[in-house]
Amino acid sequence: LAETELALAGELVDANGSPVTENFAFPTEIGPAIGAGVKVGPLLQFEIPTVINLNALAVDGIAAGNLTPDDQMPGVPGEYVTTDGADAEVITFVEFPAGWLTMGVNSDDGFRSEAGPIEYPDDRVLLGEFDGGRGASDTTFDIYVQSAGVYPVRTIWMNGSGDASIEIFTVAADGTKVLLNDTANGGLKTYRTGVAPEPVEPSPDFFISIQLDGGAVRITWTEAGLVLQQSADLGTWTDVANATSPYTPPADSAPGL
């Protein structure tokens, strides 16, 4: 996968230290894409409006993975009629519900899935990966989505030699697997394009603390504009009038602050 990242970035070198810049995939071998591949740097970019259930041998009627029918992998078999050494990057924007869910990738060979700002590798969250060679096999991973919404998901894939395939899916509570964007069967809706938000950097001097000081509670904060609220039932909240930091609630204040 380290070499895959280099290949995708156009930074891979051969044994002699020379840049590997040639791409032997064919732009007119489109599979389920909406049109011919477009050259973007060292890569060919295809837009797939359906699902990611790609198999280099689908044209020969050979199935791989869990779910059928397989789509022909775009770009291959290419100029040398092979998928050996193929690398790919799949970017999609997934509409996630809040809470826990299980995702999975069936791959031949390796893959890595990440979520978060696509342009900022250090801020991505690793979802799951398999770094090596294998026949078409599953790797599943549990993820927790704090807030429902549309999130960027980036999956890289590589093939060493021989068969080549990838499926990206979620797993229902009963173990049923459904491809991303297979909405007819309950799959999560995905989008081909979107705007990944810039990482939000917290103020370096922001903090909030709650302390017990001489038997009284003291609340201290530094963020300008923070409004303290209170509630008698932890359901309905109202602003605390004239609350400034540091703030000591009166003894008869509401139980929730």
Side-chain angles (χ1 to χ4, degrees):
L1 292 178
E3 289 189 350
T4 297
E5 291 285 18
L6 292 174
L8 295 172
E11 299 174 357
L12 189 66
V13 296
D14 62 21
N16 298 318
S18 300
V20 178
T21 57
E22 292 182 279
N23 190 330
F24 300 117
F26 275 170
T28 54
E29 293 173 332
I30 67 173
I34 61 175
V38 177
K39 192 76 182 299
V40 179
L43 308 178
L44 280 177
Q45 178 177 289
F46 296 90
E47 290 195 41
I48 297 176
T50 51
V51 298
I52 298 300
N53 185 9
L54 305 176
N55 179 1
L57 299 179
V59 69
D60 298 321
I62 300 174
N66 307 292
L67 302 160
T68 57
D70 294 352
D71 291 321
Q72 178 62 31
M73 186 175 290
V76 297
E79 184 173 345
Y80 289 102
V81 196
T82 180
T83 57
D84 292 1
D87 296 297
E89 176 187 56
V90 179
I91 293 175
T92 186
F93 295 80
V94 184
E95 190 168 329
F96 283 107
W100 285 99
L101 72 148
T102 301
M103 286 188 66
V105 174
N106 183 287
S107 64
D108 180 349
D109 290 302
F111 83 95
R112 175 183 293 139
S113 287
E114 302 168 298
I118 293 169
E119 299 299 324
Y120 300 90
D122 292 341
D123 294 311
R124 299 179 198 143
V125 177
L126 176 65
L127 302 180
E129 67 177 17
F130 179 83
D131 194 357
R134 64 180 180 181
S137 304
D138 285 351
T139 297
T140 58
F141 34 94
D142 295 330
I143 65 174
Y144 182 76
V145 181
Q146 185 170 352
S147 301
V150 179
Y151 295 89
V153 173
R154 173 184 185 264
T155 299
I156 64 171
W157 166 87
M158 53 77 64
N159 181 55
S161 62
D163 298 350
S165 61
I166 181 172
E167 298 174 344
I168 306 179
F169 56 87
T170 56
V171 184
D174 63 0
T176 303
K177 299 168 185 175
V178 58
L179 296 165
L180 291 186
N181 208 40
D182 184 7
T183 55
N185 291 302
L188 299 183
K189 186 174 180 61
T190 68
Y191 302 87
R192 300 199 303 274
T193 61
V195 178
E198 296 287 331
V200 177
E201 296 293 341
S203 173
D205 57 356
F206 167 75
F207 73 90
I208 183 169
S209 67
I210 303 175
Q211 299 172 307
L212 189 63
D213 184 6
V217 174
R218 175 174 292 182
I219 305 172
T220 306
W221 65 91
T222 59
E223 184 75 357
L226 186 147
V227 177
L228 201 64
Q229 292 189 318
Q230 64 182 0
S231 172
D233 57 9
L234 301 183
T236 302
W237 294 82
T238 58
D239 292 350
V240 179
N242 302 317
T244 58
S245 177
Y247 178 76
T248 299
D252 60 349
S253 66
L257 273 173

